[in-house]
């Protein structure tokens, strides 16, 4: 939806690093407008790992999107060696799979799925999430990120 620039950088720094949860609603109107013209059977999100969620006290992606979409939690993210924001491009691209599915419920392959995330940088996170969702029969997968 928005190009990554200094404003977006500062926004995510304040929102995620400093835990300013009130910023979750900053783009609510824009997200609601986008959601009205895009329909999906199932909408899930990129979850924070337990370590990050405990440190922040909230899941930033869920907080950003739960007022817009009926989010279905499908993915579980394990804690990585260090946060994505602290990795360079090469390190991000070499990040091993960090997602698994919460349950093994199998969905019809024609289910139109949307994965929402906050920032798209290299695409590695989305690729890993899509790979995990394919294990439960989901193949018609779309993605949305607030910024790239």
């Amino acid at each position: 939806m928005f190009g990554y620039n200094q404003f977006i950088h500062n926004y995510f720094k304040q929102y995620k690093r400093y835990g300013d949860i009130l910023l979750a609603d900053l783009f609510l109107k824009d997200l609601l407008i986008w959601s009205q013209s895009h329909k999906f059977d199932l909408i899930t999100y990129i979850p924070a790992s337990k370590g990050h969620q405990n440190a922040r006290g909230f899941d930033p992606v869920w907080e950003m999107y739960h007022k817009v979409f009926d989010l279905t939690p499908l993915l579980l993210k394990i804690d990585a060696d260090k946060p994505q924001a602290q990795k360079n491009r090469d390190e991000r691209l070499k990040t091993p799979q960090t997602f698994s599915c919460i349950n093994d419920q199998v969905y019809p392959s024609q289910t139109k799925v949307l994965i929402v995330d906050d920032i798209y940088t290299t695409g590695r996170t989305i690729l890993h999430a899509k790979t995990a969702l394919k294990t439960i029969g989901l193949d018609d997968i779309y993605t949305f990120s607030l910024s790239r």
Side-chain angles (χ1 to χ4, degrees):
M1 181 168 279
F2 299 103
Y4 192 85
N5 57 28
Q6 192 61 48
F7 171 79
I8 294 292
H9 170 81
N10 292 340
Y11 163 78
F12 279 113
K13 184 176 181 180
Q14 187 69 29
Y15 176 51
K16 292 172 77 171
R17 186 182 302 166
Y18 298 120
D20 190 346
I21 196 168
L22 296 176
L23 290 174
D25 292 342
L26 183 64
F27 300 103
L28 186 60
K29 182 179 175 186
D30 300 296
L31 294 171
L32 285 167
I33 291 168
W34 186 90
S35 71
Q36 291 169 355
S37 60
H38 298 84
K39 300 299 174 207
F40 299 91
D41 302 316
L42 184 63
I43 302 171
T44 192
Y45 62 99
I46 300 297
S49 66
K50 284 291 181 202
H52 279 124
Q53 190 166 340
N54 290 341
R56 288 186 183 112
F58 66 97
D59 185 316
V61 176
W62 186 86
E63 286 293 339
M64 184 179 291
Y65 292 105
H66 81 277
K67 292 179 183 174
V68 178
F69 301 109
D70 181 19
L71 297 175
T72 302
L74 294 175
L75 297 165
L76 179 66
K77 184 174 184 180
I78 61 169
D79 283 309
D81 55 344
K82 64 181 177 179
Q84 287 288 89
Q86 294 178 9
K87 294 179 182 179
N88 64 36
R89 179 176 173 75
D90 189 50
E91 289 173 318
R92 287 174 188 231
L93 290 171
K94 291 179 181 173
T95 301
Q97 175 63 284
T98 55
F99 294 103
S100 60
C101 289
I102 290 174
N103 60 48
D104 23 345
Q105 176 181 344
V106 177
Y107 292 86
S109 61
Q110 68 273 15
T111 303
K112 188 175 178 182
V113 181
L114 176 66
I115 305 170
V116 294
D117 196 8
D118 52 6
I119 304 171
Y120 181 106
T121 307
T122 63
R124 180 60 67 179
T125 300
I126 293 292
L127 176 68
H128 285 321
K130 287 172 76 172
T131 300
L133 293 178
K134 287 181 180 205
T135 67
I136 57 171
L138 296 169
D139 292 314
D140 192 12
I141 301 172
Y142 299 81
T143 66
F144 177 88
S145 298
L146 184 71
S147 181
R148 178 171 186 193

